[in-house]
Amino acid sequence: MTIVRPYRATDRAALYDICVRTAHEGGDSRHIYPDLELMPSIFAAPYAELEPDLTFVLDDGERAVGYVLGTADTPAFVEAYRASWLPRMRERFPALDGPPSTPSEVMIDLMYRPERMIVPELAGYPAHLHIDLLPDHQRKGHGRALMNAFLDALHRKGVEYVHLGMVTANTAARAFYDRLGFHEIPVADAGPLTYLGRRTDRTAPPTAEA
């Protein structure tokens, strides 16, 4: 039986694997980022480490096959990331000496610029999230179940609005978020990303946004 449950430390290997296998526009990223620690060290592990109470997994009875994770307070997360997570990454992923020239170096550059997560247009949506499921478990309602668990946890914390950034080219993901009541948030100079947001209160009308 497949269930959504809180993250456990024993889920770490599965968390990393899910991230790697969904990190390229929703698909496998191993051919682009050969170091399998890189993408999870930016987009998954720091959340599980710094805000485990907002990390949930989809468990198929054998292992985690999906996750949702994030933060209730993006500026506070950025501060904690720089203070306590980034120092642990410096040996494995040293800071670049110059501009990035490979896909992996682009990601390492992002790793060392956590302040990029603080976007003025998103100030009214202080929480943010990442959600990923292995392909065999997509389009079966599991993504909605994960999202509901995360939204409910934020709502219990008194956080009213949440946002996410997605690669604009990932049209399947956009359709998923649209079905869940997310709407686009205009952001100047968003680059390859589209920002979406919604209320954490799932009983609120979808048009009642910030």
PDB file of all heavy atoms in Angstrom, residues 64-79:
ATOM      1  N   ALA A  64      10.932   4.965  -0.278  1.00  0.00           N
ATOM      2  CA  ALA A  64      10.365   6.230  -0.729  1.00  0.00           C
ATOM      3  C   ALA A  64      10.495   6.321  -2.241  1.00  0.00           C
ATOM      4  O   ALA A  64      11.556   6.042  -2.805  1.00  0.00           O
ATOM      5  CB  ALA A  64      11.080   7.403  -0.061  1.00  0.00           C
ATOM      6  N   VAL A  65       9.398   6.719  -2.899  1.00  0.00           N
ATOM      7  CA  VAL A  65       9.384   6.828  -4.361  1.00  0.00           C
ATOM      8  C   VAL A  65       8.988   8.235  -4.811  1.00  0.00           C
ATOM      9  O   VAL A  65       8.837   8.503  -6.005  1.00  0.00           O
ATOM     10  CB  VAL A  65       8.437   5.784  -4.981  1.00  0.00           C
ATOM     11  CG1 VAL A  65       8.973   4.373  -4.753  1.00  0.00           C
ATOM     12  CG2 VAL A  65       7.025   5.924  -4.403  1.00  0.00           C
ATOM     13  N   GLY A  66       8.811   9.127  -3.863  1.00  0.00           N
ATOM     14  CA  GLY A  66       8.492  10.520  -4.146  1.00  0.00           C
ATOM     15  C   GLY A  66       8.666  11.323  -2.881  1.00  0.00           C
ATOM     16  O   GLY A  66       8.748  10.771  -1.783  1.00  0.00           O
ATOM     17  N   TYR A  67       8.735  12.629  -3.043  1.00  0.00           N
ATOM     18  CA  TYR A  67       8.855  13.488  -1.866  1.00  0.00           C
ATOM     19  C   TYR A  67       8.307  14.875  -2.157  1.00  0.00           C
ATOM     20  O   TYR A  67       8.192  15.294  -3.314  1.00  0.00           O
ATOM     21  CB  TYR A  67      10.313  13.604  -1.385  1.00  0.00           C
ATOM     22  CG  TYR A  67      11.267  14.238  -2.378  1.00  0.00           C
ATOM     23  CD1 TYR A  67      11.246  15.605  -2.672  1.00  0.00           C
ATOM     24  CD2 TYR A  67      12.226  13.468  -3.030  1.00  0.00           C
ATOM     25  CE1 TYR A  67      12.115  16.173  -3.577  1.00  0.00           C
ATOM     26  CE2 TYR A  67      13.111  14.023  -3.939  1.00  0.00           C
ATOM     27  CZ  TYR A  67      13.047  15.384  -4.214  1.00  0.00           C
ATOM     28  OH  TYR A  67      13.910  15.946  -5.118  1.00  0.00           O
ATOM     29  N   VAL A  68       7.972  15.562  -1.079  1.00  0.00           N
ATOM     30  CA  VAL A  68       7.727  16.994  -1.119  1.00  0.00           C
ATOM     31  C   VAL A  68       8.461  17.561   0.085  1.00  0.00           C
ATOM     32  O   VAL A  68       8.470  16.975   1.166  1.00  0.00           O
ATOM     33  CB  VAL A  68       6.223  17.343  -1.073  1.00  0.00           C
ATOM     34  CG1 VAL A  68       5.568  16.872   0.214  1.00  0.00           C
ATOM     35  CG2 VAL A  68       6.003  18.844  -1.274  1.00  0.00           C
ATOM     36  N   LEU A  69       9.124  18.690  -0.123  1.00  0.00           N
ATOM     37  CA  LEU A  69       9.898  19.308   0.945  1.00  0.00           C
ATOM     38  C   LEU A  69      10.015  20.792   0.665  1.00  0.00           C
ATOM     39  O   LEU A  69       9.760  21.262  -0.443  1.00  0.00           O
ATOM     40  CB  LEU A  69      11.275  18.648   1.079  1.00  0.00           C
ATOM     41  CG  LEU A  69      12.034  18.251  -0.205  1.00  0.00           C
ATOM     42  CD1 LEU A  69      12.629  19.460  -0.887  1.00  0.00           C
ATOM     43  CD2 LEU A  69      13.123  17.251   0.114  1.00  0.00           C
ATOM     44  N   GLY A  70      10.376  21.540   1.691  1.00  0.00           N
ATOM     45  CA  GLY A  70      10.490  22.979   1.505  1.00  0.00           C
ATOM     46  C   GLY A  70      10.709  23.683   2.816  1.00  0.00           C
ATOM     47  O   GLY A  70      11.171  23.098   3.800  1.00  0.00           O
ATOM     48  N   THR A  71      10.350  24.941   2.832  1.00  0.00           N
ATOM     49  CA  THR A  71      10.545  25.785   3.999  1.00  0.00           C
ATOM     50  C   THR A  71       9.328  26.653   4.229  1.00  0.00           C
ATOM     51  O   THR A  71       8.634  27.019   3.271  1.00  0.00           O
ATOM     52  CB  THR A  71      11.793  26.671   3.840  1.00  0.00           C
ATOM     53  OG1 THR A  71      11.933  27.508   4.991  1.00  0.00           O
ATOM     54  CG2 THR A  71      11.684  27.555   2.600  1.00  0.00           C
ATOM     55  N   ALA A  72       9.092  26.999   5.482  1.00  0.00           N
ATOM     56  CA  ALA A  72       7.997  27.902   5.819  1.00  0.00           C
ATOM     57  C   ALA A  72       8.400  29.356   5.659  1.00  0.00           C
ATOM     58  O   ALA A  72       7.544  30.230   5.545  1.00  0.00           O
ATOM     59  CB  ALA A  72       7.537  27.650   7.258  1.00  0.00           C
ATOM     60  N   ASP A  73       9.710  29.634   5.642  1.00  0.00           N
ATOM     61  CA  ASP A  73      10.216  31.008   5.645  1.00  0.00           C
ATOM     62  C   ASP A  73      11.476  31.053   4.789  1.00  0.00           C
ATOM     63  O   ASP A  73      12.559  30.685   5.246  1.00  0.00           O
ATOM     64  CB  ASP A  73      10.511  31.430   7.083  1.00  0.00           C
ATOM     65  CG  ASP A  73      10.957  32.878   7.217  1.00  0.00           C
ATOM     66  OD1 ASP A  73      11.547  33.412   6.260  1.00  0.00           O
ATOM     67  OD2 ASP A  73      10.745  33.463   8.292  1.00  0.00           O
ATOM     68  N   THR A  74      11.343  31.494   3.551  1.00  0.00           N
ATOM     69  CA  THR A  74      12.463  31.457   2.622  1.00  0.00           C
ATOM     70  C   THR A  74      13.669  32.263   3.099  1.00  0.00           C
ATOM     71  O   THR A  74      14.794  31.744   3.075  1.00  0.00           O
ATOM     72  CB  THR A  74      12.012  31.915   1.227  1.00  0.00           C
ATOM     73  OG1 THR A  74      11.024  30.991   0.732  1.00  0.00           O
ATOM     74  CG2 THR A  74      13.180  31.957   0.248  1.00  0.00           C
ATOM     75  N   PRO A  75      13.531  33.519   3.550  1.00  0.00           N
ATOM     76  CA  PRO A  75      14.714  34.247   4.023  1.00  0.00           C
ATOM     77  C   PRO A  75      15.416  33.550   5.189  1.00  0.00           C
ATOM     78  O   PRO A  75      16.656  33.507   5.241  1.00  0.00           O
ATOM     79  CB  PRO A  75      14.156  35.609   4.429  1.00  0.00           C
ATOM     80  CG  PRO A  75      12.926  35.774   3.589  1.00  0.00           C
ATOM     81  CD  PRO A  75      12.345  34.404   3.497  1.00  0.00           C
ATOM     82  N   ALA A  76      14.649  32.994   6.127  1.00  0.00           N
ATOM     83  CA  ALA A  76      15.262  32.290   7.255  1.00  0.00           C
ATOM     84  C   ALA A  76      15.980  31.033   6.777  1.00  0.00           C
ATOM     85  O   ALA A  76      17.052  30.679   7.291  1.00  0.00           O
ATOM     86  CB  ALA A  76      14.200  31.934   8.291  1.00  0.00           C
ATOM     87  N   PHE A  77      15.393  30.340   5.788  1.00  0.00           N
ATOM     88  CA  PHE A  77      16.037  29.147   5.239  1.00  0.00           C
ATOM     89  C   PHE A  77      17.357  29.515   4.570  1.00  0.00           C
ATOM     90  O   PHE A  77      18.362  28.812   4.738  1.00  0.00           O
ATOM     91  CB  PHE A  77      15.112  28.464   4.236  1.00  0.00           C
ATOM     92  CG  PHE A  77      15.734  27.288   3.547  1.00  0.00           C
ATOM     93  CD1 PHE A  77      15.821  26.070   4.188  1.00  0.00           C
ATOM     94  CD2 PHE A  77      16.242  27.406   2.260  1.00  0.00           C
ATOM     95  CE1 PHE A  77      16.406  24.975   3.561  1.00  0.00           C
ATOM     96  CE2 PHE A  77      16.829  26.333   1.632  1.00  0.00           C
ATOM     97  CZ  PHE A  77      16.912  25.102   2.278  1.00  0.00           C
ATOM     98  N   VAL A  78      17.365  30.591   3.817  1.00  0.00           N
ATOM     99  CA  VAL A  78      18.594  31.029   3.150  1.00  0.00           C
ATOM    100  C   VAL A  78      19.692  31.307   4.177  1.00  0.00           C
ATOM    101  O   VAL A  78      20.851  30.918   3.994  1.00  0.00           O
ATOM    102  CB  VAL A  78      18.312  32.275   2.283  1.00  0.00           C
ATOM    103  CG1 VAL A  78      19.612  32.940   1.836  1.00  0.00           C
ATOM    104  CG2 VAL A  78      17.464  31.885   1.074  1.00  0.00           C
ATOM    105  N   GLU A  79      19.329  31.940   5.260  1.00  0.00           N
ATOM    106  CA  GLU A  79      20.301  32.234   6.310  1.00  0.00           C
ATOM    107  C   GLU A  79      20.853  30.940   6.927  1.00  0.00           C
ATOM    108  O   GLU A  79      22.066  30.796   7.111  1.00  0.00           O
ATOM    109  CB  GLU A  79      19.641  33.091   7.393  1.00  0.00           C
ATOM    110  CG  GLU A  79      20.579  33.553   8.473  1.00  0.00           C
ATOM    111  CD  GLU A  79      19.906  34.477   9.474  1.00  0.00           C
ATOM    112  OE1 GLU A  79      18.827  35.026   9.159  1.00  0.00           O
ATOM    113  OE2 GLU A  79      20.461  34.652  10.573  1.00  0.00           O
TER     114      GLU A  79
END
